[in-house]
């Protein structure tokens, strides 16, 4: 079974647009991009285009590559204090000269549609999440749409990033999976991956996961977006692995569209929560 994130995300976006129209709210997402990283520019454009589709307003702020941390903080504080803005997203990675941790912590937690602020990650790890990082939340949504139950399963997450690996492990734990996080220092990776009923790879190595690393019947989720010989490929050797997996996400058209749809859902959530101030 191919886990079709593109179709699933389109269906969810249609429902979301109707909910937004009916809500009478005017959800607004601010994106901040520092420098001219072509991949980041492309992702932000895709996010803004999707905003248009679902009737979310977007405000794009572009800062030059030589912007200092303090200047990024001033921009974020302005957006934090702007009552017209519901969600604030600072596109990562930031230039090396900027302290990414301080910038992430500067985003108001009730506008943190990326879910990267330690407050929101803390809620997620305590099992009571509000804003959840978009990629792992989108993957859980995809599991839900295809009725893939993770409870009691061995889930192996490759990669321990703040954006994907760690929150993915927390969500799977909250959903009663038995979770292992693997990373570059894991001593016998194949031994771990071969035990996985659910394997989520977010390591950024083209076609690194080969068929002999996968348990027959496993569910494979490929978060990787890599260039190989001018072609976009995931972390998984899709053609070979799809023959033994029970379900697998393609690249492109798997996780990526679910990430963007989830960002839209998080932005609407931010607008709804801010509109009823008793929640906060
Ligand atoms: N860079 C790659 N993925 C993401 C994401 O989900 N959010 C932000 N802000 N930056 C990213």
């Amino acid at each position: 079974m191919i886990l079709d994130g593109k179709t699933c995300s389109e269906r969810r976006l249609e429902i979301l647009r109707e909910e937004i129209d009916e809500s009478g709210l005017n959800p607004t997402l601010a994106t901040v991009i520092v420098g001219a990283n072509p991949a980041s520019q492309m992702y932000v454009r895709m996010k803004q285009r999707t905003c248009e589709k679902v009737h979310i307003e977007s405000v794009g702020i572009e800062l030059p590559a030589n912007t200092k941390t303090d200047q990024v903080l001033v921009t974020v504080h302005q957006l934090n204090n702007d009552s017209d803005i519901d969600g604030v997203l600072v596109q990562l990675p930031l230039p090396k000269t900027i302290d990414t941790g301080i910038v992430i912590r500067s985003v108001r937690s009730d506008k943190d549609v990326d879910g990267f602020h330690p407050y929101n990650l803390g809620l997620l790890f305590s099992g009571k999440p509000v804003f959840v990082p978009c990629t792992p939340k989108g993957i859980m949504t995809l599991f839900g749409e295809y009725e893939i139950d993770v409870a009691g399963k061995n889930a192996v997450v490759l990669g321990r990033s703040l954006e994907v690996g760690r929150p993915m492990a927390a969500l799977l734990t909250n959903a009663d999976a038995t979770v292992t996080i693997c990373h570059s220092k894991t001593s016998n990776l194949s031994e771990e991956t071969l035990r996985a009923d659910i394997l989520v790879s977010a390591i950024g190595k083209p076609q690194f996961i080969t068929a002999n690393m996968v348990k027959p019947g496993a569910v494979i989720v490929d978060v990787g977006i890599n260039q190989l010989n001018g072609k976009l490929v995931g972390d998984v050797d899709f053609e070979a692995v799809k023959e033994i997996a029970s379900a697998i996400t393609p690249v492109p058209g798997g996780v990526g569209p679910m990430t963007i749809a989830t960002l839209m859902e998080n932005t609407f959530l931010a607008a709804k929560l801010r509109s009823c101030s008793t929640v906060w």
Side-chain angles (χ1 to χ4, degrees):
M1 178 164 66
I2 305 296
L3 303 174
D4 182 350
K6 188 163 184 294
T7 303
C8 176
S9 69
E10 281 166 2
R11 202 167 48 234
R12 290 187 70 88
L13 287 171
E14 247 174 63
I15 295 166
L16 180 65
R17 190 190 58 225
E18 283 168 17
E19 284 177 358
I20 290 172
D21 288 348
E22 282 166 15
S23 73
L25 296 171
N26 182 33
T28 304
L29 173 67
T31 56
V32 179
I33 185 165
V34 186
N37 178 327
S40 291
Q41 287 174 323
M42 186 188 70
Y43 291 138
V44 168
R45 265 200 311 275
M46 284 163 66
K47 290 169 185 177
Q48 291 171 337
R49 249 184 254 143
T50 311
C51 279
E52 254 178 62
K53 275 196 209 162
V54 297
H55 304 165
I56 290 176
E57 268 189 51
S58 68
V59 175
I61 293 169
E62 294 174 18
L63 301 172
N66 63 356
T67 306
K68 303 254 189 320
T69 300
D70 283 359
Q71 292 167 289
V72 181
L73 295 182
V74 168
T75 300
V76 171
H77 284 139
Q78 278 168 355
L79 297 168
N80 282 344
N81 294 326
D82 185 336
S83 60
D84 291 337
I85 302 287
D86 296 295
V88 177
L89 178 147
V90 181
Q91 186 65 26
L92 304 179
L94 290 166
K96 286 195 169 47
T97 47
I98 293 175
D99 186 329
T100 300
I102 290 179
V103 172
I104 286 173
R105 289 195 293 280
S106 74
V107 176
R108 239 175 80 164
S109 61
D110 61 342
K111 296 192 177 190
D112 175 33
V113 288
D114 259 329
F116 295 162
H117 191 288
Y119 176 79
N120 283 316
L121 288 172
L123 288 177
L124 171 60
F125 277 79
S126 74
K128 297 265 182 278
V130 178
F131 291 107
V132 176
C134 301
T135 297
K137 186 178 171 190
I139 292 169
M140 296 304 285
T141 303
L142 201 54
F143 288 159
E145 295 276 339
Y146 282 91
E147 295 180 355
I148 293 169
D149 187 10
V150 306
K153 303 276 172 57
N154 283 330
V156 174
V157 178
L158 306 188
R160 52 182 158 176
S161 69
L162 173 81
E163 296 89 345
V164 183
R166 289 170 198 239
M168 185 77 244
L171 282 172
L172 288 164
T173 305
N174 293 349
D176 299 327
T178 303
V179 183
T180 306
I181 303 184
C182 299
H183 44 76
S184 52
K185 298 286 193 293
T186 297
S187 56
N188 192 342
L189 189 62
S190 291
E191 200 173 283
E192 305 294 342
T193 58
L194 279 166
R195 286 192 306 108
D197 303 310
I198 295 167
L199 181 64
V200 180
S201 182
I203 52 175
K205 292 188 179 188
Q207 297 177 344
F208 180 81
I209 306 296
T210 48
N212 60 348
M213 296 171 75
V214 171
K215 178 177 173 178
V219 173
I220 309 294
V221 177
D222 192 347
V223 184
I225 301 176
N226 314 291
Q227 290 283 345
L228 186 69
N229 307 323
K231 230 183 106 200
L232 202 63
V233 299
D235 291 345
V236 178
D237 179 359
F238 181 82
E239 288 306 323
V241 171
K242 80 176 194 317
E243 299 301 326
I244 54 168
S246 63
I248 185 168
T249 60
V251 176
V255 174
M258 293 303 295
T259 297
I260 298 188
T262 306
L263 173 64
M264 301 300 121
E265 291 172 352
N266 280 357
T267 304
F268 184 43
L269 174 66
K272 284 189 292 188
L273 292 177
R274 277 195 339 112
S275 77
C276 65
S277 54
T278 51
V279 174
W280 296 98

